[in-house]
Amino acid sequence: GSQYCTPTDVGQYALNAVALSRIPPTVQTAQCIAASALMDSRFGGRWPLPLLTWDLSVTMMTAYIAAKLMIDETGGSNMNGSDDTVETNYDRAIAWSNGVQRQTIHPQVTFTSLPNTYGLPMVRSPNRSRGWGHGGVG
């Protein structure tokens, strides 16, 4: 899958610099990857993966999830009052990703062309449709 946020994005959108500096860089990267995988579990129900491009909303919501995962991983409940914000943003991001999956929220993304999900040969014709697959036998 794609990695929708980086530790830099988490610092820009989800955690202040002091809080982020207390989290080892390896944990930051691992949790950005984990948050991206969680997003893919929602996005995969809607689009073929991996996504090629995505808008800022995807990056920001993934950063919110990554921040929560980072805090949980390091046991950091001493974030100088930012715990409530991290928790609220995480809840928002989960609700948002569920909305994307249900197609009530529409981030701007680019994905690969649709795969042949049936595993069968595909027929293409330069001519217009001959009516096959349009609701019945004539």
Side-chain angles (χ1 to χ4, degrees), residues 9 13 16 18 23 29 32 36 40 55 63 76-77 92 102 107 109 113 118 122-123 129:
D9 296 322
Y13 302 113
N16 66 48
V18 173
I23 299 169
T29 299
C32 286
S36 297
D40 272 346
D55 67 18
S77 61
R92 282 179 51 207
R102 288 188 309 268
V109 302
S113 62
Y118 301 105
M122 294 180 70
V123 177
S129 172

Side-chain angles (χ1 to χ4, degrees), residues 1-5 31-51 54-67 69 89-102 105 107 109:
S2 300
Q3 185 173 331
Y4 302 114
C5 77
Q31 299 310 340
C32 286
I33 292 167
S36 297
L38 189 146
M39 286 299 203
D40 272 346
S41 73
R42 277 23 178 230
F43 297 165
R46 182 166 176 186
W47 302 299
L49 298 174
L51 296 182
W54 49 90
D55 67 18
L56 182 58
S57 68
V58 172
T59 299
M60 188 170 62
M61 294 299 167
T62 307
Y64 288 168
I65 292 169
L69 296 176
N89 286 342
Y90 173 80
D91 291 344
R92 282 179 51 207
I94 294 298
W96 180 90
S97 68
N98 289 336
V100 170
Q101 185 179 38
R102 288 188 309 268
I105 296 174
V109 302

Side-chain angles (χ1 to χ4, degrees), residues 129-138:
S129 172
R130 299 185 189 274
W132 297 338
H134 292 288
V137 178

Side-chain angles (χ1 to χ4, degrees), residues 108-124:
Q108 300 300 303
V109 302
T110 305
F111 50 88
T112 58
S113 62
L114 293 174
N116 177 358
T117 57
Y118 301 105
L120 300 172
M122 294 180 70
V123 177
R124 296 188 190 265

